Amino acid sequence: MLRQSPLIKALAICSSTLALAACIPTIGPSTNSPKQARIHALAGGEILVNAPRSYCVDTSSRPSSSFVLMTNCDVLAGTPKTNPADRGILTVSLGAQLTADQSDLELETLMGTGATQSPRVPGLIMQQVNASDTSRLDGAAAQYWRAAMKVQDRIVTLALYGPEKGSVIGAKGKPILEDLARGIQAKPLSDQATAKIQSQKTTILAFRRLFQINQ
């Protein structure tokens, strides 16, 4: 149980409204270019997250190599057209690399009661959960969607939040979260190895030029 504890915590990160409150500023017009970002790189570019239709990266939430928040593109642009009841907030969080003895962990078991395999996305475990009154984000519904999947040797957690009586916290939210999961792509390990080798070569060359070392 002790070895699984960090993974259970990873599944909850930014998937509880308490954690989300620390991740999200008040959403306003994006300071991004007119062509808003719809792709975000995690793990130094090893994993790419493609936003589902009508969602964009909220750059004001300070996306990082392990976290990204997305919401409706029109809201971010300051020209909201999406009905408030249909708006949503998506988050993607990247966990630490799994060790050899953690690679066979069952996500469905870790997530607990109500977690089921998505029929549309192999390996995606989904769950509707309710936040406690003390951990709910102002304006957010108690009910929200969360999901988890393994991408290479990492656990990626996803969540979808919406307003009280909003459509995305119900059945309409499930395909949105599935589309987000389908848009998460990992570079082939061979490409990652090639990139690492190239980076090492570049560093060596720069070192030689700096210190005038003959090749």
Side-chain angles (χ1 to χ4, degrees):
M1 292 298 293
L2 290 176
R3 287 185 300 174
Q4 293 183 7
S5 178
L7 289 178
I8 295 174
K9 289 180 180 179
L11 288 172
I13 186 171
C14 282
S15 292
S16 70
T17 50
L18 181 62
L20 191 64
C23 298
I24 310 176
T26 301
I27 293 175
S30 174
T31 56
N32 201 8
S33 61
K35 186 176 181 181
Q36 293 177 312
R38 302 196 67 248
I39 300 176
H40 180 72
L42 300 176
E46 293 180 7
I47 298 174
L48 297 179
V49 180
N50 295 269
R53 182 182 178 186
S54 80
Y55 280 80
C56 291
V57 175
D58 178 11
T59 55
S60 69
S61 67
R62 298 181 182 179
S64 68
S65 187
S66 60
F67 174 79
V68 63
L69 182 147
M70 301 173 174
T71 191
N72 304 87
C73 298
D74 57 342
V75 175
L76 289 174
T79 55
K81 298 178 182 179
T82 305
N83 188 313
D86 296 325
R87 297 175 189 174
I89 292 176
L90 291 163
T91 64
V92 180
S93 301
L94 183 66
Q97 291 184 316
L98 298 175
T99 61
D101 61 338
Q102 294 171 334
S103 60
D104 60 350
L105 289 174
E106 295 293 335
L107 295 180
E108 193 168 346
T109 301
L110 289 176
M111 292 181 70
T113 305
T116 58
Q117 166 68 54
S118 164
R120 294 180 61 212
V121 185
L124 180 69
I125 308 301
M126 307 187 70
Q127 183 183 47
Q128 273 186 305
V129 293
N130 286 281
S132 66
D133 290 337
T134 56
S135 65
R136 287 174 59 185
L137 191 67
D138 288 342
Q143 187 178 54
Y144 64 98
W145 284 96
R146 71 174 179 177
M149 62 192 297
K150 291 180 183 178
V151 179
Q152 293 186 351
D153 59 351
R154 296 175 182 265
I155 292 179
V156 177
T157 58
L158 309 84
L160 172 58
Y161 305 87
E164 289 279 8
K165 299 181 180 180
S167 62
V168 300
I169 63 173
K172 289 186 177 181
K174 186 175 182 180
I176 295 175
L177 203 58
E178 289 175 324
D179 287 345
L180 174 62
R182 292 174 70 177
I184 297 176
Q185 303 171 342
K187 286 185 178 179
L189 291 175
S190 57
D191 290 352
Q192 294 178 28
T194 300
K196 185 175 181 179
I197 292 171
Q198 185 59 47
S199 177
Q200 290 172 341
K201 288 181 178 179
T202 301
T203 301
I204 292 171
L205 287 174
F207 183 86
R208 285 174 173 169
R209 291 192 188 101
L210 180 63
F211 294 100
Q212 298 181 346
I213 298 174
N214 294 326
Q215 298 184 17

